[in-house]
Amino acid sequence: MPDSTPDSTPDSRSPGSTGAGSDRSRNRSDALRAWFLGPRGENAELLERLLTEALRDHVFWRRNHHPEDGFTIRETDKRRPGYDNAVATLTQELMGLLAELKRGVPFFSGRYKGHMAFEQTIASQVGYFAAMLYNPNNVAIEASPVTTRLELEVAAQLARMVGYERGASWGHLTSGGTVANFEALWVARNVIYFPLAARGAADELALDLEVERADGSRAPLRSLELRELVNVHPEAAMDLWEALWTGAPRAEVHTALQEHSLQHLGYQEYVARLDRAFGDPLPPSVVLVAATAHYSWEKIVRALGIGSNQLVFIPVDDRYRLDPDALWETIQELTARNVPILACISVCGTTEESAVDRLDRVLEVRERARRELGVTFHLHSDACYGGYAASVIRGADGGLRSAEEIRDSIGLDPDPDIEAWPTPGWVKSMEALSGADSITIDPHKLGYIPYPAGAILFRDKRARELVAVDPPYLLPTQGLGSSEDLFLGRFIFEGSKPGAAAASVWLSHKVLPLDERGYGHLVERTVAGARQLYRALRDTSMDPFRLVLLPEPDINIVCFLLTHPAFRTIEEVNRLNEGIYARMSLSEPGAQPDYIITRTRFQTPMYDGAVEPVLERLGVGSVEEWERSGPEGLVILRATVMDPFLADEDGPDHTSGFVASVLEEARRTLAGSGR
Ligand SMILES: *Cc1c(COP(=O)(O)O)cnc(C)c1O
C-alpha cells in the first residue's frame, strides 16, 4: 500500500498556488472548516453522509459474502412480539444513554480550555467507525489483514515526520502514552543490559566477539569491565546482538542468553549472579527525567521493578525546559559514584506548560558524556503531547522549513515583549527528534483522534527483538503476509488491540498530512490562538486584581495566576486561584461554568529552577515560604488551547469572553471569602 500523501490536498490542486502565499493560506483555512464536525454541528450532513456510506458499504460486503448461505434473520422474524420487545428495549435504553452522555464534557466548544482534548477530525471518526464494523484485532495479521498494515503505515508516517530513517526505524500504536512510554523504557532497559548478557553468553559459548565501547574504540567483548559493559551505546549493543546470533547455533545462543539476561532472571537473581561473577552487584541503575515529566514515569519505573527511588529528576530552567547544564552535572555526579544510567527522558510538550525541551542540547550532553566520561544511555523523547507539532517544520515536499518561513506563514503580529514563534531553537529541538532512540506521540492528543491512540517509535528497529516473545499460536504462517513484521503481538506489550484505531489515525493522516498543509497548519492555528489569549490576558485590566503570566508557551498552553494587592502570603494567592479554578471547572457535580480551565501546582523540588521569577513578579511570598509549603506549592491556572478557530476574526470571541470570565470568577471568589 503506498503511503504517499494524497495530491488532492487543496493547495497542490490549485494551479499557480506556489508563491501565492495568501491563496495558500486561504485554501488552508477553508480546509480547516471541513476537518471537524464543528461546535454547532455545522458539518453534520457531511459526517452523516460518510457514516452512512461506511455502514452501507459494510452491509453490502456481508450480503456478498457467501450469498448461498441464505438468511439467518428473516423478515417474518422481525414481525414477532419477542423481536419487537427486544427492539423496544434497545431503543429505550439507547435514549437513556444518549441523555446521560449529555452530561459529558463539551470538548468541541471554544469554551473548553481544560485538558488536552478537543473534538476529533471527521476523518478519524469515520475511519474508526468504518473499521469498527469489521472489528479487526491488530495483535496479529490473521485477525487484521488490513488494519495491521495501516498501523505500520501510520508508524512510518510518524517516523518520517520526526526524521527517522525509513526501513531502519519501527513503531506501532498503543492504547496511549503511558503504555508507549512503558514500552520505551522496557526496551531501553533490555538494550542497555544486553552487553552484560552477551558477555555471559559469549563466555559460555567460548565466542570471541568485538564490541564498540562508549568512546568509539573497539575491543574484545570478553575484555570489557562491568562498567564498560553497561555503557555500550544502544546502537553498538544491537550490533553485538546481531553478531552473537551468527556466532553459534540459534538454540544455543538462545539458552545461553536466557541464563544471563535480566528479563529472564529478575533483579534479585541477576544481582546475586553479577556479584558472584564480577565481585560487584552494580548500584541500581537510574532513569533521568525532566522535572516536568508526566506522572506515568513514576508508574513505569515501579512496574518495571526499577523502583521510583531510581527516578532522578533533572531541574528545569525558567521556561520549564530540561536544563542541559544540570543534566551534565547529574551525569558527572552519578558517574563518580559508578551508578549506571538506563535512560534519559526529555519532554517535547510538557503536560502542564507545553514546554519543549532543547533536545538538540540534551543530545550534545549525551555525546559529551560518551566522549569525556565513557558513559552512555538510551535517550527517549516523551512527545506524547507535543509530537504532532513536529509537522510544523515539514514542508509539503517533505523538506524542512526554517523558523522564518514558519513565522511568515502564521502571520502573527510582531510584539516587542513576546518572542516570535517559533524560535530557531524550537525548530532545532524538533529537528533533533531524529536523534532520540525512541519517541512517544499520542494521536489522541494533538492528533485530534479518538481514544485510544498512542504511538511509540524506535530509531533502531532491531531493538524490538530484545522484548520479543513467541506465542506458539501466533507464529507466522507461510503465505499470510509471511513477514514477521505483521505479528505485532510478538514485539509489543499489549495483546488484542483495536484495528479501528489504526484506521482512524490512517484516514486522518491522509486528509491532514503530517506537514504544513495538514497537522502543521492545525498546530499553527492553535499556537496563534494561544498567543492571542496570552496577549489579551496581558493587556486587559484585571482591577482590583493583578494577573501574572508565565512566559509565553512553546506550543499552546497558557499559564497564569492572579493576585490581589492585599495579599501577603502564598497561601492567600493559592486560595484565590484555587477558587477561580473551582468555579471554572467541572470538578464539582452540576457545575456549568462559562469557560473551563484546569490548574496545576508548582511544587518543590521539581520547579526549583523555575519558581523564582514567578514569585518575583507576583510580589508575594518568598522561595523559602514556597519551599515550606511542600505539596501545596504554588497554584497555577492553565488554559489549553486546542481550538484551531480561536484566532479567527469572524466567529465567537472566546478570547475576550475567557478573560472576562476569569475576572468575574476572581471577584466572586474574593467576595465569597468575605474579604
Ligand atoms: C498525556 C501524556 C502522557 C500519558 O499519555 P496517556 O495517553 O494519557 O497515557 C505521557 N507523557 C506526556 C508528556 C503526556 O502529556
Side-chain angles (χ1 to χ4, degrees):
M1 220 167 296
D3 74 353
S4 60
T5 44
D7 50 13
S8 59
T9 39
D11 38 306
S12 56
R13 204 196 287 153
S14 54
S17 68
T18 30
S22 63
D23 265 13
R24 196 155 57 198
S25 67
R26 182 70 233 205
N27 277 331
R28 284 179 194 162
S29 73
D30 289 347
L32 179 59
R33 278 157 179 72
W35 287 342
F36 296 99
L37 175 55
R40 282 278 169 281
E42 292 90 332
N43 284 318
E45 259 176 52
L46 170 63
L47 179 57
E48 192 175 321
R49 176 163 67 75
L50 300 175
L51 289 176
T52 309
E53 184 73 42
L55 176 62
R56 287 188 182 155
D57 193 64
H58 175 79
V59 171
F60 292 146
W61 181 64
R62 290 190 179 204
R63 283 194 193 144
N64 290 306
H65 184 75
H66 291 285
E68 72 277 15
D69 287 353
F71 291 90
T72 306
I73 304 161
R74 292 157 196 284
E75 285 304 308
T76 47
D77 294 336
K78 297 188 191 171
R79 284 164 182 66
R80 304 188 59 82
Y83 181 95
D84 269 349
N85 283 343
V87 170
T89 305
L90 171 61
T91 309
Q92 193 66 56
E93 293 300 330
L94 173 66
M95 294 306 151
L97 173 66
L98 294 178
E100 284 281 337
L101 287 173
K102 288 190 193 61
R103 287 204 302 233
V105 180
F107 294 124
F108 58 83
S109 168
R111 291 171 179 270
Y112 183 81
K113 304 198 184 314
H115 292 286
M116 308 160 150
F118 186 64
E119 65 173 322
Q120 307 90 60
T121 63
I122 288 182
S124 65
Q125 291 173 321
V126 174
Y128 198 101
F129 178 80
M132 184 191 70
L133 295 171
Y134 296 79
N135 199 28
N137 179 353
N138 277 18
V139 70
I141 187 97
E142 63 180 17
S144 53
V146 179
T147 50
T148 288
R149 284 201 178 83
L150 297 184
E151 177 162 347
L152 294 172
E153 209 177 303
V154 159
Q157 290 161 347
L158 290 170
R160 185 171 44 202
M161 173 181 75
V162 300
Y164 275 178
E165 202 182 310
R166 203 192 165 91
S169 60
W170 184 74
H172 64 90
L173 295 177
T174 62
S175 66
T178 302
V179 170
N181 280 339
F182 176 92
E183 208 168 294
L185 196 56
W186 185 32
V187 168
R189 199 253 327 251
N190 289 0
V191 171
I192 290 294
Y193 276 95
F194 176 73
L196 266 170
R199 164 73 190 274
D203 280 348
E204 206 158 292
L205 301 170
L207 287 178
D208 287 318
L209 297 171
E210 272 213 336
V211 65
E212 187 187 310
R213 284 193 285 222
D215 65 4
S217 63
R218 296 188 67 83
L221 174 64
R222 291 158 80 186
S223 73
L224 258 56
E225 290 168 17
L226 189 52
R227 203 179 91 86
E228 292 175 304
L229 286 167
V230 285
N231 281 299
V232 172
H233 204 61
E235 266 158 34
M238 292 316 302
D239 292 342
L240 179 61
W241 183 84
E242 275 189 317
L244 184 66
W245 287 100
T246 53
R250 291 187 72 82
E252 284 177 31
V253 174
H254 181 81
T255 314
L257 264 182
Q258 276 219 334
E259 274 310 296
H260 297 276
S261 80
L262 171 58
Q263 54 175 339
H264 181 65
L265 300 170
Y267 276 108
Q268 244 177 327
E269 176 63 19
Y270 188 73
V271 166
R273 289 196 190 193
L274 274 187
D275 203 11
R276 283 205 295 277
F278 293 90
D280 178 359
L282 266 185
S285 48
V286 296
V287 177
L288 313 180
V289 294
T292 45
H294 189 261
Y295 73 102
S296 56
W297 291 105
E298 179 102 25
K299 295 189 199 173
I300 293 163
V301 289
R302 290 181 188 192
L304 280 171
I306 293 168
S308 45
N309 199 31
Q310 272 61 254
L311 204 56
V312 175
F313 290 98
I314 309 295
V316 291
D317 63 17
D318 57 7
R319 299 298 295 275
Y320 319 107
R321 304 170 188 150
L322 186 151
D323 180 350
D325 297 331
L327 175 64
W328 171 242
E329 279 164 29
T330 308
I331 294 171
Q332 281 179 304
E333 191 265 322
L334 290 166
T335 303
R337 291 194 285 121
N338 262 328
V339 177
I341 302 168
L342 274 186
C344 172
I345 317 296
S346 166
V347 190
C348 174
T350 60
T351 318
E352 313 299 349
E353 308 88 1
S354 73
V356 174
D357 285 353
R358 283 296 300 267
L359 185 60
D360 53 324
R361 300 192 54 201
V362 174
L363 277 162
E364 281 166 20
V365 171
R366 181 169 71 158
E367 258 324 287
R368 185 174 175 197
R370 212 173 140 171
R371 250 191 350 259
E372 296 181 19
L373 309 173
V375 163
T376 193
F377 44 84
H378 181 102
L379 185 56
H380 175 75
S381 173
D382 181 350
C384 282
Y385 182 58
Y388 272 81
S391 58
V392 168
I393 68 164
R394 291 275 155 200
D397 58 2
L400 291 169
R401 300 166 85 204
S402 68
E404 223 162 79
E405 256 173 274
I406 301 165
R407 271 184 237 155
D408 283 350
S409 81
I410 309 180
L412 294 173
D413 292 336
D415 184 318
D417 298 327
I418 308 182
E419 226 170 46
W421 189 92
T423 60
W426 189 92
V427 172
K428 274 193 197 144
S429 310
M430 289 297 169
E431 287 173 5
L433 284 170
S434 62
D437 296 310
S438 55
I439 306 173
T440 43
I441 301 178
D442 274 353
H444 66 208
K445 282 182 179 163
L446 270 185
Y448 297 80
I449 280 159
Y451 304 109
I456 167 92
L457 307 172
F458 293 102
R459 191 164 55 126
D460 188 339
K461 176 181 191 162
R462 299 173 296 176
R464 65 184 186 177
E465 299 290 349
L466 294 188
V467 295
V469 174
D470 290 317
Y473 68 97
L474 284 180
L475 277 180
T477 334
Q478 290 301 314
L480 235 188
S482 77
S483 164
E484 60 171 6
D485 264 17
L486 302 173
F487 290 82
L488 285 178
R490 245 192 114 208
F491 303 114
I492 70 176
F493 183 70
E494 288 164 283
S496 297
K497 60 205 287 283
S504 171
V505 184
W506 184 87
L507 193 59
S508 203
H509 286 183
K510 283 291 176 195
V511 178
L512 285 75
L514 292 164
D515 58 43
E516 58 173 328
R517 296 167 298 172
Y519 278 102
H521 180 64
L522 194 52
V523 172
E524 284 176 16
R525 293 319 299 157
T526 70
V527 170
R531 299 244 147 181
Q532 177 173 297
L533 188 68
Y534 188 91
R535 288 157 76 148
L537 286 167
R538 184 192 61 186
D539 298 340
T540 311
S541 162
M542 287 283 177
D543 195 49
F545 304 94
R546 195 161 56 79
L547 186 137
V548 174
L549 274 164
L550 268 52
E552 58 274 23
D554 286 341
I555 310 176
N556 55 8
I557 302 180
V558 180
C559 294
F560 59 95
L561 68 168
L562 270 69
T563 184
H564 186 275
F567 290 173
R568 295 286 169 268
T569 63
I570 293 178
E571 204 186 327
E572 286 172 292
V573 176
N574 280 351
R575 212 177 304 135
L576 171 68
N577 290 291
E578 194 65 30
I580 298 171
Y581 160 69
R583 290 171 185 278
M584 296 185 74
S585 68
L586 302 171
S587 58
E588 277 154 39
Q592 288 194 322
D594 286 340
Y595 286 87
I596 298 171
I597 56 170
T598 52
R599 63 106 163 74
T600 182
R601 288 171 197 277
F602 279 8
Q603 296 165 327
T604 185
M606 280 77 91
Y607 284 88
D608 283 1
V611 80
E612 200 169 337
V614 181
L615 288 177
E616 244 164 50
R617 295 198 351 263
L618 194 63
V620 175
S622 61
V623 174
E624 293 72 42
E625 186 192 341
W626 172 74
E627 277 169 355
R628 274 199 308 276
S629 74
E632 274 298 304
L634 181 67
V635 174
I636 306 277
L637 301 175
R638 180 171 166 270
T640 309
V641 179
M642 294 275 293
D643 170 10
F645 303 109
L646 183 66
D648 281 5
E649 272 160 27
D650 35 14
D653 181 2
H654 285 312
T655 303
S656 310
F658 177 82
V659 178
S661 182
V662 170
L663 179 57
E664 180 60 29
E665 300 307 349
R667 288 204 174 110
R668 287 190 183 150
T669 303
L670 195 67
S673 75
R675 204 179 243 286

